[in-house]
Amino acid sequence: MAAAFKAEATAQAVAGIMLLAMVIYTGYTIPKSSMIGALRWISYINPLRYGFESIVANEFHTLHGTCSNLVPQGPGYEDITLTNQVCTTVGAVQGQSTVDGNDFIRLSSLTRANLDKNFGIVIAFGIGFIIALLVFTEINTAVSGESNMVLFKRGTKAAALHDADPADEEKSAPGSQPVAARDNEATEEALASAPAMKDFFSWQHLKYTVPVHGGHRVLLDDVSGYVVPGKLTALMGESGAGKTTLLNVLAQRTNTGVIEGDRFVNGQAPPLDFQSQSGYCQQMDTHTPTDTVREALRFSASLRQPASVSMADKEAYVEECLKMCGLEEYADASVGSLNIEFRKRTTIGVELAAKPKLLLFLDEPTSGLDSQSAWAIMKFLRDLADNGQAILCTIHQPSAELFQVFDRLLLLRKGGQTVYFGDLGPNATTLIHYFERNGSRACEPSENPAEFMLDVIGAGATASTDVNWHEKWKKSPEAVETQAELERIHSEGRSRPPVAEAFHSEFATPWMHQLKELLIRNSRGFWRNPTYIIAKLTLDIFGGLFIGVCFVASHA
């Protein structure tokens, strides 16, 4: 069913009705003798019926079952003998407490003589289903490849099409150009007008332990670092090193385990609404596919900015965010029809629309992107950082060009232990000199510094090392400098007043406002994509009618 239909909801509706038919006409819910003539044909094209008949006939052929319920019995029948009792099961004989399995299957319109035939029929159905799967998959794959286009809201003008040449199919296709910000001047003006972050976020001696079967496991072990406004900090390490775990711990998005150590904002405890004052972009772009980009950003601004801010101001800031993210030309395009790069920009824009004051967390923003789209996203993040944003993001195996975009690196190895934290330097020379000075091999001139460092610490696919780089880091001058810099940041920050709480309740907006916005978004999604509702109504109506017709004149 999934291969035969383009929409999941349609496939579920048809599959639901077919499943009802197969279950009812297996021969158990309604015995064959009680089926109405108009629908009895369903049992002959039902693979479950042949399997059911074979299993029951094979199991009951040699069975002599003891009856659990004889009639009559109960008060007044205490002295009755078996001669005057009978079992209530099909195939029972008066005066016997057991039922012959052969009589049971014969009277149930089943026969063991069809065992081999039924087995062959089930095999034939299986082969037929596989062939149908391959055919439908081929047909739907070919059709889907031809209908890849960006959909714009009805009644709006697609600004992305204005500059396209109709004779050039590649340029005239919305979303075919990987770089979204064609109006660089407007984008730069919007970035310059965005409120800059002025607070320093730091963490010191973080340790994160989670319970596992038979004990505990340390996922982060004595991790320290900081993020400052105007700098782009990378969080890297091999798979399982704890990159995303550290990001979640810092963003206060964990609800299990024990966290030890300290997190600071300007050397003081983070405000209680730290999550509201920071942005977090997940690796997966979770959006309502029927919403436009503008609607997605407005939804975020409406619910996450303070209720004291007027809706007009929120909408005005959303327009600025669209310019910042290079999405102004695609503001009225549905998010679900955009390519991966534009959806990633939308994800970042949704967080920026909430006006985070402290910093922005990103979990692998280049995941799933081609090289050109990845460069466009990293250049966008670089522009954000250059205009005063504090950004911390995880990234997995970047190219040398992408690696140069970052200012600072926190490198982890398995077990969540720090291997390096500090500036990268021009062409990552500071990082390379650190490893070479501590006994690593030399980095080749043409080698990617990101791959070099992972290979050196034994994090590559075939790499291994005898050096304990965590111990090397703890004894290095760079580690001492990091702790000294943290103390300096804390000392300077404590001379300023603590960051005030922007919200004094769990949510930024009242409950009724949240309910209204969610109802509007949900209703809008159903209106623009009625397939789901229609499929569910179809399943309920036809399913109910089908069950009623099946039992309308039956003797079951």
Side-chain angles (χ1 to χ4, degrees):
M1 287 297 102
F5 294 91
K6 299 177 183 179
E8 180 182 352
T10 309
Q12 288 177 341
V14 175
I17 296 175
M18 292 184 64
L19 185 62
L20 274 175
M22 289 193 295
V23 170
I24 292 175
Y25 284 88
T26 299
Y28 177 76
T29 306
I30 303 178
K32 188 176 180 180
S33 58
S34 301
M35 296 177 183
I36 61 175
L39 295 177
R40 185 175 296 176
W41 59 271
I42 297 177
S43 66
Y44 294 103
I45 63 170
N46 184 3
L48 293 184
R49 174 242 174 169
Y50 298 101
F52 174 77
E53 181 180 21
S54 300
I55 292 173
V56 172
N58 189 65
E59 291 297 321
F60 282 80
H61 172 60
T62 58
L63 183 67
H64 286 272
T66 301
C67 188
S68 61
N69 187 23
L70 296 170
V71 293
Q73 65 176 341
Y77 296 96
E78 291 83 358
D79 299 328
I80 195 170
T81 63
L82 181 62
T83 306
N84 298 311
Q85 289 181 307
V86 67
C87 183
T88 57
T89 304
V90 175
V93 178
Q94 181 179 348
Q96 294 183 6
S97 61
T98 61
V99 178
D100 187 356
N102 290 303
D103 292 337
F104 175 82
I105 59 178
R106 177 177 53 82
L107 294 173
S108 300
S109 302
L110 305 173
T111 174
R112 192 172 184 273
N114 295 333
L115 191 63
D116 295 335
K117 181 186 73 173
N118 291 342
F119 179 73
I121 291 174
V122 171
I123 294 297
F125 268 110
I127 295 173
F129 288 148
I130 292 174
I131 293 174
L133 172 65
L134 296 176
V135 171
F136 286 132
T137 301
E138 186 67 24
I139 293 173
N140 275 338
T141 301
V143 173
S144 64
E146 298 171 359
S147 60
N148 185 18
M149 63 181 68
V150 177
L151 303 177
F152 287 85
K153 184 179 177 181
R154 182 178 298 177
T156 60
K157 294 182 178 180
L161 298 177
H162 289 176
D163 300 330
D165 182 4
D168 191 338
E169 292 184 0
E170 291 186 1
K171 290 184 178 180
S172 62
S176 62
Q177 301 186 35
V179 180
R182 283 188 257 178
D183 190 355
N184 292 326
E185 185 176 348
T187 301
E188 290 175 3
E189 290 178 359
L191 286 169
S193 64
M197 297 173 179
K198 301 178 181 179
D199 301 300
F200 293 75
F201 177 68
S202 60
W203 58 96
Q204 204 165 17
H205 306 303
L206 273 185
K207 184 176 181 181
Y208 180 47
T209 308
V210 295
V212 295
H213 181 69
H216 297 82
R217 177 179 297 169
V218 178
L219 299 183
L220 298 174
D221 186 10
D222 193 22
V223 181
S224 300
Y226 54 88
V227 181
V228 299
K231 299 293 182 181
L232 186 55
T233 304
L235 178 53
M236 294 184 62
E238 61 183 305
S239 297
K243 304 185 295 295
T244 301
T245 301
L246 176 58
L247 205 69
N248 289 331
V249 168
L250 294 177
Q252 297 183 2
R253 287 176 170 263
T254 56
N255 50 21
T256 59
V258 178
I259 301 174
E260 302 175 47
D262 301 298
R263 286 164 290 190
F264 301 98
V265 175
N266 295 334
Q268 303 174 66
L272 295 178
D273 60 345
F274 175 80
Q275 285 183 291
S276 300
Q277 298 196 43
S278 58
Y280 187 98
C281 299
Q282 299 181 15
Q283 182 177 349
M284 302 300 294
D285 302 312
T286 52
H287 301 286
T288 303
T290 54
D291 277 359
T292 66
V293 175
R294 178 178 281 112
E295 288 167 350
L297 269 65
R298 282 181 177 176
F299 182 79
S300 175
S302 176
L303 293 183
R304 297 173 62 184
Q305 287 192 27
S308 57
V309 180
S310 68
M311 198 62 204
D313 291 340
K314 291 179 181 179
E315 291 179 357
Y317 188 70
V318 164
E319 297 303 317
E320 292 298 313
C321 290
L322 290 171
K323 295 177 182 178
M324 279 191 282
C325 299
L327 290 169
E328 193 175 16
E329 294 178 345
Y330 296 93
D332 293 309
S334 71
V335 179
S337 67
L338 296 175
N339 62 23
I340 301 177
E341 179 200 337
F342 285 82
R343 287 202 299 270
K344 187 65 68 176
R345 287 177 176 270
T346 303
T347 299
I348 299 172
V350 164
E351 295 303 314
L352 292 176
K355 257 188 177 178
K357 298 179 180 178
L358 299 179
L359 77 159
L360 189 63
F361 297 101
L362 297 102
D363 188 12
E364 297 195 16
T366 60
S367 179
L369 299 177
D370 56 44
S371 58
Q372 194 169 6
S373 297
W375 171 253
I377 291 295
M378 290 310 304
K379 184 179 181 301
F380 170 50
L381 294 179
R382 179 71 265 171
D383 292 339
L384 284 175
D386 290 341
N387 284 275
Q389 303 292 316
I391 301 175
L392 173 65
C393 74
T394 62
I395 191 165
H396 183 66
Q397 294 182 338
S399 64
E401 291 76 12
L402 295 184
F403 196 54
Q404 300 305 319
V405 175
F406 292 97
D407 300 298
R408 191 170 285 118
L409 169 70
L410 173 55
L411 180 61
L412 301 177
R413 72 170 190 176
K414 274 195 174 179
Q417 296 177 330
T418 304
V419 172
Y420 178 81
F421 178 76
D423 293 335
L424 289 175
N427 298 319
T429 52
T430 304
L431 172 70
I432 294 172
H433 291 162
Y434 168 79
F435 282 106
E436 291 179 344
R437 190 174 67 249
N438 285 278
S440 77
R441 64 174 177 83
C443 179
E444 299 295 332
S446 60
E447 190 172 4
N448 182 355
E451 294 180 359
F452 161 76
M453 69 177 187
L454 292 175
D455 183 70
V456 164
I457 68 172
T462 59
S464 61
T465 182
D466 296 328
V467 180
N468 189 332
W469 287 101
H470 176 57
E471 292 297 326
K472 288 276 189 182
W473 164 254
K474 291 197 297 185
K475 298 175 183 178
S476 67
E478 287 81 0
V480 176
E481 291 175 7
T482 298
Q483 295 300 325
E485 182 66 15
L486 281 170
E487 293 302 327
R488 186 191 66 79
I489 291 173
H490 296 166
S491 178
E492 291 183 1
R494 285 163 186 155
S495 62
R496 294 190 279 174
V499 176
E501 296 177 18
F503 310 117
H504 299 283
S505 60
E506 185 178 1
F507 301 105
T509 52
W511 184 84
M512 285 302 298
H513 179 74
Q514 299 175 44
L515 178 63
K516 184 193 75 172
E517 292 293 329
L518 288 168
L519 285 175
I520 291 174
R521 185 178 71 163
N522 202 44
S523 302
R524 185 171 58 221
F526 286 144
W527 175 257
R528 291 177 180 172
N529 184 24
T531 306
Y532 178 81
I533 291 295
I534 293 174
K536 290 302 179 184
L537 288 174
T538 302
L539 176 60
D540 293 341
I541 294 172
F542 282 92
L545 290 174
F546 179 77
I547 294 174
V549 170
C550 289
F551 289 91
V552 66
S554 69
H555 303 288

